[in-house]
Amino acid sequence: MSVRAEDVADLVIRSRRAVLPEGEGPAAVAVRRGRIAGLHPYDAVLEAAEQVDLGDTALLPGLVDTHVHVNEPGRTHWEGFACATRAAAAGGVTTIVDMPLNSLPPTVNVAALTGKRSAAAGQCLVDVGFWGGAVPGNVKDLRPLHEAGVHGFKCFLSPSGVAEFPPLDVDGLRAAMVEIASFDGLLIVHAEDPELLAEPAGPGYAEFLDSRPGRSERRAVELVAALAGETGVRAHILHVSSALCLEPLARARREGVRITAETCPHYLTLTAEEVPRGATEFKCCPPIRTSANREQLWQGLADAVLSCVVSDHSPSTPDLKVPDFAAAWGGISSLQLGLAAVWTEASRRGHGLGQVVRWMAANPAALAGLDGKGAIAVGNDADLVAFDPDAGHTVDAATLHHRNPVTPYHGRTLRGVVRATWLRGRVVGDTPGGEFLRPSPAGARSPGPERATEERPSP
Ligand SMILES: [Zn+2]
């Protein structure tokens, strides 16, 4: 008689609502040496050092948030790796990928990436990957950054908000794409056409919204799609806020262009109509738009034109959020709240946890080339979340782990509470166990989000 090795687990977690790629249902997940070693019936008899039974609390894969501005080093008083990764874990996020700007120096060459890894070392409670930046004059740095392990390159087409990270013009965009295509990398784009942006005509939200119209996003998406088609690069549109982007994205995909897109919890949750006077914690670029637009974004997700929902957590100190929409810092803090915010709205629209997991875990993992993340599957890292989908809670900004207590979700009642988070089979506590990630080699990758989302939602 031999006991199968996978049956002698370090940990077994049982849930009547385990969210697996093939659907939601009762299961027992066996964990061995930090990885998912086996998936079994809920009531299977399994040997393990530790057993956890979640009952009706759902078990999800740890979320993968590919759009987080940590700001350390250089602007650590805005947000740092210790606070950001603590907030992530509390929100059910076990992997973040850090944006190349708002920290100092920006991650636009290997020396800056090395500095960022040094700054983050020993502080991270969840796993961390890094994006590089594509800025004017750094085409020669892109391949070395790729070889040093960035997940891809972010660029702007309009001013970024910080002087040290300037935008690319059309020629610069094409040159970056040609270079990135030469090693089959990924370009991620903040897509607003600067020619269609203006200075706000006044301090209110209406004037701010008018100054950044949806057609600016649409025209930028059309440019990126055309150049991605021309150069063959893999491109991804960040934080789609305007539903005007959906048609050109869908058309480009039909034409075979390698382009994907994401949106963010705030565009799916908040609306321009409800922004209180002077409440610049609601300011971000591109802006939160009308409720009608919000419904079209939900349709874009249902149609898989948008494949990822990630936070664009972009905090600042409260003093930069002056009550003037023309002058305030543009960025929304929500790393800890994304799952509950999206689940609140998704469940209202008839989407299940499986769909939310696809948008917030599986597809972002595929985007960033993170094999072994984003799904409860044998061989994957045992990054897991106990999530009570029916519990409600009212957000108090002061109790969040974000460094600064500024968020537009303050006072909102959200559905869903994270009860526990495991990283590689260990409950995330106070001991930093996060690792630095690199993308898996292209040949070994699972299908990108464009394919993964074309399946129908599981029942
Ligand atoms: Zn961002």
Side-chain angles (χ1 to χ4, degrees), residues 111-191:
L113 176 65
T114 304
K116 192 165 253 191
R117 283 185 175 138
S118 308
Q123 295 201 68
C124 299
L125 294 174
V126 303
D127 285 355
V128 179
F130 300 94
W131 297 110
V135 294
N138 86 329
V139 168
K140 66 181 187 321
D141 293 297
L142 301 180
R143 183 181 288 267
L145 273 167
H146 171 72
E147 289 168 355
V150 298
H151 293 266
F153 301 90
K154 180 177 193 178
C155 73
F156 281 72
L157 307 180
S158 54
S160 72
V162 290
E164 69 276 3
F165 200 96
L168 296 176
D169 61 17
V170 175
D171 290 341
L173 178 64
R174 185 184 281 108
M177 283 181 165
V178 168
E179 178 67 7
I180 293 166
S182 75
F183 50 80
D184 200 24
L186 170 66
L187 182 68
I188 62 176
V189 185
H190 179 120

Side-chain angles (χ1 to χ4, degrees), residues 63 86-94 335-340 385 387 401 418 421:
L63 303 189
R86 186 177 297 277
V93 176
T94 50
L335 179 54
Q336 192 173 333
L337 300 170
L339 172 58
V385 176
F387 182 66
H401 295 297
V418 172
T421 302

Side-chain angles (χ1 to χ4, degrees), residues 8 178 241:
V8 186
V178 168
S241 127

Side-chain angles (χ1 to χ4, degrees), residues 67 69 99 101 154 156 190 239 312-314:
H67 198 148
H69 296 264
M99 279 292 167
L101 73 156
K154 180 177 193 178
F156 281 72
H190 179 120
H239 48 51
D312 194 9
H313 178 69
S314 184

Side-chain angles (χ1 to χ4, degrees), residues 127-415:
D127 285 355
V128 179
F130 300 94
W131 297 110
V135 294
N138 86 329
V139 168
K140 66 181 187 321
D141 293 297
L142 301 180
R143 183 181 288 267
L145 273 167
H146 171 72
E147 289 168 355
V150 298
H151 293 266
F153 301 90
K154 180 177 193 178
C155 73
F156 281 72
L157 307 180
S158 54
S160 72
V162 290
E164 69 276 3
F165 200 96
L168 296 176
D169 61 17
V170 175
D171 290 341
L173 178 64
R174 185 184 281 108
M177 283 181 165
V178 168
E179 178 67 7
I180 293 166
S182 75
F183 50 80
D184 200 24
L186 170 66
L187 182 68
I188 62 176
V189 185
H190 179 120
E192 288 181 290
D193 184 330
E195 288 180 11
L196 297 176
L197 302 178
E199 284 302 314
Y205 194 76
E207 290 113 337
F208 170 63
L209 189 54
D210 283 348
S211 77
R212 303 189 90 99
R215 62 182 193 283
S216 164
E217 282 188 73
R218 181 180 61 197
R219 204 157 90 173
V221 167
E222 288 168 347
L223 172 68
V224 172
L227 291 181
E230 181 187 313
T231 61
V233 80
R234 193 159 66 100
H236 177 75
I237 304 295
L238 299 162
H239 48 51
V240 168
S241 127
S242 171
L244 294 178
C245 298
L246 298 174
E247 194 279 325
L249 281 168
R251 175 163 28 96
R253 297 264 296 272
R254 280 197 303 275
E255 292 167 357
V257 176
R258 301 166 79 199
I259 192 166
T260 54
E262 70 189 30
T263 188
C264 308
H266 37 277
Y267 303 127
L268 297 168
T269 303
L270 310 174
T271 63
E273 294 91 332
E274 69 184 321
V275 177
R277 178 182 288 267
T280 53
E281 61 270 28
F282 286 79
K283 178 179 175 180
C284 58
C285 299
I288 293 163
R289 303 185 188 278
T290 63
S291 58
N293 177 82
R294 176 183 64 176
E295 295 318 303
Q296 292 175 285
L297 293 179
W298 277 105
Q299 192 58 48
L301 279 169
D303 295 341
V305 178
L306 304 172
S307 55
C308 302
V309 180
V310 290
S311 69
D312 194 9
H313 178 69
S314 184
S316 72
T317 47
D319 58 299
L320 300 181
K321 287 291 198 181
V322 294
D324 174 343
F325 280 96
W329 168 256
I332 284 184
S333 291
S334 67
L335 179 54
Q336 192 173 333
L337 300 170
L339 172 58
V342 171
W343 172 238
T344 301
E345 298 293 322
S347 57
R348 268 181 201 154
R349 290 167 177 81
H351 298 294
L353 282 172
Q355 191 56 277
V356 170
V357 159
R358 209 166 279 141
W359 296 326
M360 302 188 79
N363 290 345
L367 173 74
L370 289 166
D371 289 357
K373 299 287 193 188
I376 299 178
V378 172
N380 277 7
D381 287 347
D383 298 347
L384 298 162
V385 176
F387 182 66
D388 184 342
D390 301 316
H393 73 288
T394 300
V395 176
D396 177 355
T399 65
L400 299 174
H401 295 297
H402 305 159
R403 172 148 285 162
N404 293 290
V406 181
T407 175
Y409 295 97
H410 178 70
R412 287 180 85 88
T413 297
L414 301 179
R415 186 172 177 210

